[in-house]
C-alpha cells in the first residue's frame, strides 16, 4: 500500500520547500519517477514550469508533466502506462470540478488507484486535495455561521470514502463551511488543511502533519443537528460535534492516540 499526501494549497515552491521535499522522499528519493498532473488548472504550462523548477532544485531529476486537458487524453493507454511507471504522482491546484470532469472515471483515474495499491505516493494540493475524497467539496459559502445548503458536493477520486476535505482552511476562514458539510452529512469526517501544510497518511502505519500550519478534524458522527428541520440559508444548530487540531509535527502510529481520537485515527490510517 502506498501513501497519500493531502496538501492545503500554496505550499512553498521557492524557499525551503519542506512539503515538496517530503513528497520526493515519500516517492523514493531523487531517483524516483514523478508525474505532475495539471488537469485542474486553466494555465497548465505555467503551473508545470513552477513545479519543474521546484523539483529540479530538490534534486528530483526524473519528473515529467502529465498534461491532460480532456477526457480523451485521460483515456489514452499511454497516460495510464506513465502513471503505472511512476513512484509519485503530484496533482496540482486549480478547480476540482475541472480536474474530475477531465479525468474522473477514466483509465487515468483507474491507474491512480492501482498506483496507490502498489505503493506509490499520491499527493494533491488545493483542488487536487479536495478531489481525493469520494464526496468532493466543490464549492461553499464562508459565512461566519454554519448554514444549511451552504455546500455543493461532487464525485471525487474516492481515495477517502468517509471524509470530506477542504483546503486553504485557516487562511480563507472555512471552518463554518466545513461544519455545514459535516452537519448535513454526519457520516463524513471533515478534514481542513491549512496552506503550506500536508496531512501525510502512510496506509496501515501512521499519519503525520507537516509544513507551516495545522490540520483541523471535525467529527460529527455523534452529533445532533437541526439540518432536517430548517430551510436552506438558515443557521445550523450542531450539538456534540468534536473538533481536533493537529499542528505541524503531530504524528500518530497504529495503536496510538488518545481516546476518543483512536477510532478516528484508525479510519485515517485505513483511508483508501
Amino acid at each position: 500500500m502506498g501513501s497519500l499526501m493531502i496538501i492545503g494549497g500554496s505550499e512553498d515552491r521557492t524557499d525551503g520547500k519542506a512539503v515538496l521535499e517530503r513528497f520526493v522522499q515519500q516517492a523514493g528519493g531523487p531517483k524516483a519517477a514523478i508525474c505532475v498532473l495539471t488537469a485542474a488548472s486553466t494555465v497548465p504550462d505555467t503551473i508545470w514550469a513552477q513545479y519543474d523548477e521546484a523539483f529540479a532544485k530538490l534534486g528530483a531529476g526524473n519528473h515529467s508533466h502529465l498534461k491532460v486537458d480532456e477526457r480523451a487524453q485521460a483515456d489514452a493507454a499511454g497516460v495510464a502506462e506513465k502513471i503505472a511507471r511512476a513512484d509519485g504522482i503530484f496533482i496540482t491546484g486549480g478547480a476540482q470540478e475541472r480536474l474530475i470532469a477531465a479525468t474522473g472515471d477514466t483509465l487515468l483515474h483507474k491507474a491512480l488507484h492501482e498506483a496507490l495499491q502498489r505503493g506509490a505516493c499520491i499527493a494533491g494540493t488545493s483542488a487536487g486535495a479536495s478531489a481525493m475524497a469520494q464526496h468532493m467539496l466543490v464549492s461553499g459559502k464562508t459565512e461566519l455561521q454554519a448554514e444549511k445548503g451552504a455546500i455543493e458536493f461532487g464525485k471525487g477520486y474516492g481515495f477517502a470514502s468517509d471524509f470530506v476535505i477542504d483546503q486553504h482552511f485557516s487562511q480563507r476562514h472555512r471552518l463554518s463551511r466545513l461544519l455545514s458539510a459535516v452537519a448535513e452529512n454526519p457520516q463524513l469526517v471533515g478534514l481542513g488543511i491549512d496552506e503550506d501544510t500536508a496531512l501525510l497518511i502512510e496506509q496501515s502505519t501512521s499519519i503525520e502533519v507537516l509544513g507551516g500550519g495545522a490540520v483541523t478534524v471535525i467529527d460529527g458522527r455523534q452529533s445532533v443537528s437541526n439540518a432536517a428541520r430548517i430551510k436552506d440559508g438558515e443557521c445550523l444548530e450542531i450539538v456534540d460535534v468534536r473538533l481536533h487540531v493537529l499542528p505541524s509535527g503531530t504524528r500518530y502510529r497504529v495503536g496510538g492516540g488518545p481516546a476518543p481520537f483512536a477510532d478516528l485515527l484508525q479510519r485515517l490510517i485505513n483511508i483508501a
Side-chain angles (χ1 to χ4, degrees), residues 9-48:
S10 299
E11 71 285 349
D12 179 12
R13 302 168 205 167
T14 58
D15 297 319
K17 299 184 283 292
V19 171
L20 294 181
E21 182 177 27
R22 185 58 178 275
F23 167 69
V24 172
Q25 293 173 357
Q26 284 296 125
K31 294 182 179 180
I34 293 172
C35 291
V36 180
L37 176 63
T38 58
S41 177
T42 57
V43 287
D45 292 325
T46 300
I47 295 297
W48 159 244

Side-chain angles (χ1 to χ4, degrees), residues 151-235:
I151 299 300
E152 179 184 353
F153 281 103
K155 181 181 178 182
Y157 282 136
F159 301 132
S161 59
D162 298 327
F163 296 85
V164 54
I165 299 166
D166 208 352
Q167 13 81 7
H168 302 281
F169 190 69
S170 295
Q171 290 75 15
R172 299 187 185 179
H173 310 291
R174 287 177 166 174
L175 176 61
S176 61
R177 81 175 195 174
L178 194 56
L179 279 167
S180 300
V182 170
E184 294 192 61
N185 303 273
Q187 80 280 10
L188 301 178
V189 173
L191 299 177
I193 319 290
D194 289 351
E195 293 180 356
D196 193 31
T197 304
L199 175 63
L200 174 62
I201 301 167
E202 298 184 73
Q203 293 180 301
S204 303
T205 304
S206 66
I207 68 165
E208 181 179 356
V209 179
L210 55 128
V215 173
T216 301
V217 183
I218 299 177
D219 184 357
R221 290 175 294 166
Q222 305 301 319
S223 67
V224 177
S225 82
N226 63 346
R229 304 190 304 273
I230 63 174
K231 298 178 182 179
D232 284 356
E234 293 184 349
C235 183

